[in-house]
Amino acid sequence: MSSRRAFRSVLVLLALFVVVTGVLEIVVGPSLLPGNNEVSPTVDSNYRFFAAIWCALGVVLMAAAKDPDAHAPALRAVFGAVFLGGVARAVSYVDAGAPHAMLTAFIGVELLLPPLLLLWYSRTRVTL
């Protein structure tokens, strides 16, 4: 399998993960979170709103997987948004304290995976 084909396959898998988790978070809400997940209606509303944004990022990834070159700006935007989300989690970690271990691990994933994917993508084409 070529690196380009592998990259596209990884995008599809990530897109499926993001869309499925986004839909579940919209439908079920914060009760999916590990640990104490009782929140106020305001936090619940905000959580489901951002779950919809997460789901939309998955839809963009799915579309971009078909032809990454035609969707390069969208890919960079998604990777940037996820990276920024990792930065926001890190700020929360410092400001509010450590969340559940699973969410702490997401900080690393969100800060490392987008740049690695962008590097991989840049190696599958001549220019970005």
Side-chain angles (χ1 to χ4, degrees), residues 2 5 8 15 30 48 55-56 58 62-63 71 77 79 98 113 123:
S2 72
R5 180 178 238 167
R8 290 177 60 219
R48 292 176 199 245
C55 187
M62 188 62 74
H71 297 91
F79 295 157
L113 190 60
R123 292 176 184 261

Side-chain angles (χ1 to χ4, degrees), residues 24-37:
L24 283 172
E25 290 176 336
I26 291 167
V27 172
V28 179
S31 66
L32 282 177
L33 291 173
N36 180 5
N37 51 27

Side-chain angles (χ1 to χ4, degrees), residues 17-119:
F17 172 80
V18 171
V19 168
V20 168
T21 58
V23 168
L24 283 172
E25 290 176 336
I26 291 167
V27 172
V28 179
S31 66
L32 282 177
L33 291 173
N36 180 5
N37 51 27
E38 291 188 30
V39 298
S40 70
T42 300
V43 172
D44 183 277
S45 173
N46 207 44
Y47 180 89
R48 292 176 199 245
F49 171 82
F50 284 108
I53 301 298
W54 178 245
C55 187
L57 289 177
V59 172
V60 172
L61 277 178
M62 188 62 74
K66 294 176 186 174
D67 186 359
D69 293 338
H71 297 91
L75 276 178
R76 287 193 297 269
V78 169
F79 295 157
V82 173
F83 181 84
L84 187 57
V87 170
R89 281 192 204 270
V91 169
S92 174
Y93 186 100
V94 170
D95 187 52
H100 186 274
M102 180 182 76
L103 297 177
T104 299
F106 285 170
I107 296 170
V109 171
E110 293 157 352
L111 293 177
L112 293 174
L113 190 60
L116 290 174
L117 287 171
L118 189 57
L119 178 63

